[in-house]
Amino acid sequence: MFLLRRMTLRAQLSALALFLALPGAAPAHPHVFIDAGFELVFDEDGRLEAVRIEWAYDDFYSLMLIEENGLDADGDGIPEQAALDAYAGGDVDWAAGFPGDFTIEKDGAALALDGPVAHEARFEDGRYVTSHVRPLAEPLDPTGGRVVARAYDPTYFVAYDVPGEPAVIGRDDCALRRDRADREAAEQAYGEELAAIDMTADPFEEIDLPDIGVLFADAFVLTCAASS
């Protein structure tokens, strides 16, 4: 369902492009907002083996998820934990090809991440909060190359922010450095891409944009001490 909403909204981007092209128009914006957190998990041999990811949905989307999936049976505004536990992992359709909105690269090449496991969900401060673990297809020696992690949606339907500092679990000689995205430049590039769409085309035709979401994503660069 989450994927379907994304794909349907893409058909509206051409209309948004026209709006963006008008003098004084507001910058482009996403439609779902998620505060993300993550932990890079190392195995006993010092290799990166998994990433644990947490998402806190914005208040409005949290309410929609709760209402549409019947997670608040008594209508008191607080979803029952048993219902949250049963629905955990259902906020995205992984089987339909959802990419996961998280990447780890080494020297610019994306590393393969397995599907999510260990789903958990809770309701906190009016927000639906979920977590899951993505194992790496092959454990990674992080030394001898540039390793970068990012949380982002390639289509920028969802805006991910990482308000806290991600953690490293299993090694005390590794650290993450945040390289902040140039959001002003990203907004300009996004507006230019949308404005370039042919406005005479079918407005309901699916629109393909490049990997625009990465422009808005902070990069977290991992450094670890070399093995002795």
Side-chain angles (χ1 to χ4, degrees):
M1 183 178 296
F2 190 66
L3 264 180
L4 179 59
R5 286 198 189 93
R6 290 187 178 199
M7 294 173 66
T8 301
L9 192 66
R10 292 177 70 187
Q12 303 171 13
L13 289 178
S14 58
L16 180 59
L18 177 60
F19 172 73
L20 287 169
L22 297 175
H29 59 84
H31 297 262
V32 180
F33 299 85
I34 293 177
D35 285 342
F38 66 91
E39 298 172 341
L40 298 183
V41 182
F42 288 80
D43 64 17
E44 61 184 11
D45 295 321
R47 302 174 302 175
L48 180 59
E49 66 173 352
V51 55
R52 180 183 179 275
I53 300 166
E54 182 172 280
W55 294 338
Y57 289 87
D58 65 74
D59 293 0
F60 177 77
Y61 199 78
S62 295
L63 178 62
M64 185 169 62
L65 278 172
I66 291 166
E67 289 185 348
E68 288 191 356
N69 295 284
L71 305 181
D72 181 15
D74 59 11
D76 66 352
I78 301 176
E80 291 73 31
Q81 187 59 48
L84 293 174
D85 292 341
Y87 184 68
D91 51 334
V92 291
D93 187 358
W94 297 94
F98 176 61
D101 289 357
F102 193 91
T103 63
I104 302 177
E105 299 178 350
K106 184 172 184 180
D107 295 332
L111 303 178
L113 300 178
D114 289 341
V117 295
H119 292 282
E120 296 182 1
R122 68 182 187 275
F123 187 69
E124 186 175 277
D125 297 328
R127 304 176 73 177
Y128 181 65
V129 183
T130 69
S131 66
H132 57 270
V133 175
R134 301 282 308 277
L136 273 69
E138 295 183 5
L140 173 72
D141 178 357
T143 60
R146 177 181 167 86
V147 178
V148 180
R150 293 183 179 89
Y152 74 99
D153 171 14
T155 69
Y156 200 47
F157 181 97
V158 179
Y160 288 89
D161 186 29
V162 183
E165 294 305 317
V168 174
I169 306 298
R171 285 186 66 161
D172 57 11
D173 61 345
C174 294
L176 285 162
R177 183 190 76 243
R178 185 194 298 256
D179 289 347
R180 295 190 179 276
D182 185 338
R183 297 190 62 82
E184 183 176 348
E187 290 283 5
Q188 181 177 351
Y190 188 29
E192 290 172 354
E193 290 288 347
L194 291 177
I197 296 171
D198 184 2
M199 298 304 297
T200 64
D202 182 353
F204 296 100
E205 182 180 355
E206 184 174 328
I207 297 167
D208 287 322
L209 289 177
D211 187 10
I212 200 73
V214 71
L215 300 178
F216 295 86
D218 290 351
F220 294 88
V221 182
L222 177 69
T223 56
C224 297
S227 302
S228 56

